[in-house]
């Protein structure tokens, strides 16, 4: 079950390398399943659901962990580091750090000769 204020459980995300089934809480990278903890999955799902948006640290800490604004912790940094490890060579493409502010998920864009193929988030 998603934490309070986390993204809904329906639908999926899909691009040239990453597939996320929000309902089943599964992630595939180049068709290989990733073994994520629940918190890491919720963090990735939240970032993906807000793709392209800069999400402040405080918002992530509140929505995923339920921490208040005055809590100082490295939990988020540790989980981002673990997510990047799972994403391997795609880590810095997908997860952008805005130092002192927060994080942003950037979808993978595959270029073809005619037009870019954008990533898709499907509600169902």
């Amino acid at each position: 079950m998603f934490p309070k204020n986390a993204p809904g459980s329906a639908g999926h995300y899909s691009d040239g390398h990453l597939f996320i089934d929000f309902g089943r809480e599964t992630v595939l990278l180049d068709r290989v399943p990733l073994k994520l903890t629940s918190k890491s999955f919720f963090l990735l799902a939240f970032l993906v659901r807000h793709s392209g948006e800069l999400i402040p640290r405080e918002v992530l800490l509140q929505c995923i962990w339920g921490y208040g604004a005055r809590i100082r912790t490295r939990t988020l940094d540790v989980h981002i580091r673990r997510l990047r490890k799972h994403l391997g060579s795609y880590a810095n493409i997908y997860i952008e750090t805005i130092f002192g502010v927060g994080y942003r998920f950037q979808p993978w864009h595959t270029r073809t000769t005619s037009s870019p193929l954008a990533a898709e988030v499907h509600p169902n």
Side-chain angles (χ1 to χ4, degrees):
M1 172 177 237
F2 280 91
K4 185 179 179 183
N5 298 325
S9 62
H12 69 274
Y13 168 88
S14 180
D15 67 27
H17 298 281
L18 188 64
F19 177 84
I20 302 171
D21 185 323
F22 298 113
R24 292 191 174 133
E25 297 181 13
T26 57
V27 179
L28 303 176
L29 183 65
D30 289 335
R31 299 184 179 170
V32 176
L34 299 183
K35 294 181 181 180
L36 300 178
T37 65
S38 291
K39 290 293 185 189
S40 291
F41 176 82
F42 297 144
L43 175 59
L44 179 60
F46 191 91
L47 290 169
V48 168
R49 293 278 189 166
H50 295 89
S51 183
E53 297 176 35
L54 173 57
I55 310 296
R57 295 178 54 82
E58 296 77 21
V59 170
L60 292 168
L61 288 168
Q62 173 63 43
C63 291
I64 306 300
W65 286 273
Y67 292 167
R70 294 184 180 211
I71 299 291
R72 296 282 184 213
T73 180
R74 303 300 293 175
T75 298
L76 177 57
D77 304 299
V78 169
H79 279 79
I80 290 289
R81 186 172 58 242
R82 288 178 185 161
L83 272 178
R84 284 189 170 133
K85 186 174 180 181
H86 283 290
L87 294 171
S89 61
Y90 304 110
N92 291 330
I93 295 167
Y94 284 123
I95 300 176
E96 180 183 7
T97 300
I98 310 302
F99 289 101
V101 181
Y103 297 94
R104 176 175 25 228
F105 179 86
Q106 296 288 11
W108 177 270
H109 296 283
T110 304
R111 296 200 179 268
T112 62
T113 55
S114 58
S115 67
L117 175 65
E120 303 172 11
V121 176
H122 301 277
N124 283 336

